[in-house]
Amino acid sequence: MTGRQQRADAQRNYERILEVARTVVEEQGTQASLRDISRRAEVGMGTLYRHFPTRDDLLEALLRQRFDRLTARAEELEGTGDSHEALRQWLREFLSGASTYRGLTTSMMTTIGDEDSPLHASCSAMREAAGRLVERAQDDAHIRPDIDGMDVFALVSAVGWVAEQGPLVAERREHLFSLVMDGLAAGAVSGRARRSAD
């Protein structure tokens, strides 16, 4: 086998492992069995470890893909007509991923504050792209002016974390998400001000 063929074979194994790992992590959470991933990907444990020496290396690759997809999605939604719906749609997709990858929310919140993390750049790019969606919705007077992208990110992440704690709460994830969106609405500020005046 030539060097080029070896590299192509290694790349296929890498992509196959990530594809399978995504499915297994969705089923089992971030503590998913590496042996199960190896078996389903039809590669030996040695091959898996050559590409991903530790569990953290594998999770980092999965999270980087996730962050990059969400960044691209936010940039795509920036060009749509309804800024409020664009923000809502992106946040719902973000929340769906955070709930599917159990343990992801904690990993993301840790990454935000750790500039030495290999995921920091991807996570920051995602957060900045989402922040532009927030600002656009604020410019159109859909979202209250006294919040920023980090506030929105933290609130929706909190919903994702709570939904991980048990099936009863998970069933109310969409309701909790709606409550957050209602609280972010521009009318929530004026409504509170009217109640205070009364």
Side-chain angles (χ1 to χ4, degrees):
M1 184 180 290
T2 67
R4 179 176 294 180
Q5 288 171 321
Q6 289 176 331
R7 287 192 297 273
D9 188 54
Q11 183 63 30
R12 281 193 296 272
N13 283 338
Y14 177 88
E15 292 171 357
R16 175 64 179 160
I17 292 168
L18 275 183
E19 178 185 351
V20 170
R22 216 168 16 247
T23 300
V24 177
V25 169
E26 287 174 3
E27 295 171 358
Q28 303 176 14
T30 53
Q31 295 303 308
S33 165
L34 297 183
R35 189 167 298 280
D36 195 14
I37 292 171
S38 170
R39 179 182 59 79
R40 293 201 209 179
E42 300 179 344
V43 300
M45 288 295 291
T47 298
L48 187 149
Y49 283 126
R50 273 197 300 276
H51 289 290
F52 305 102
T54 68
R55 176 188 302 276
D56 285 346
D57 292 325
L58 178 58
L59 291 175
E60 283 173 4
L62 286 174
L63 289 177
R64 187 178 298 108
Q65 282 190 340
R66 175 73 183 161
F67 294 160
D68 292 346
R69 281 196 299 271
L70 283 167
T71 299
R73 182 62 174 145
E75 291 170 349
E76 175 187 332
L77 287 167
E78 275 189 75
T80 61
D82 187 334
S83 59
H84 185 251
E85 183 55 33
L87 177 62
R88 177 184 288 273
Q89 189 171 335
W90 189 88
L91 289 173
R92 184 174 277 116
E93 291 177 21
F94 169 82
L95 178 59
S96 175
S99 299
T100 299
Y101 286 76
R102 297 188 300 280
L104 175 64
T105 301
T106 301
S107 298
M108 283 190 296
M109 296 310 291
T110 300
T111 296
I112 289 173
D114 183 6
E115 294 185 2
D116 294 328
S117 167
L119 289 174
H120 183 75
S122 292
C123 187
S124 295
M126 175 194 69
R127 193 159 47 87
E128 289 168 9
R132 291 193 295 273
L133 292 179
V134 172
E135 291 171 2
R136 183 167 167 249
Q138 287 175 318
D139 290 343
D140 292 340
H142 293 305
I143 298 296
R144 52 194 294 172
D146 61 333
I147 58 100
D148 59 20
M150 177 57 87
D151 295 332
V152 176
F153 187 73
L155 286 168
V156 176
S157 293
V159 172
W161 181 84
V162 168
E164 292 176 4
Q165 304 312 304
L168 291 178
V169 182
E171 290 173 1
R172 299 185 64 78
R173 187 188 70 183
E174 186 62 28
H175 176 66
L176 294 172
F177 175 70
S178 294
L179 291 176
V180 169
M181 293 305 299
D182 288 347
L184 294 174
V189 177
S190 59
R192 185 175 61 187
R194 283 196 299 271
R195 287 193 298 273
S196 297
D198 292 342

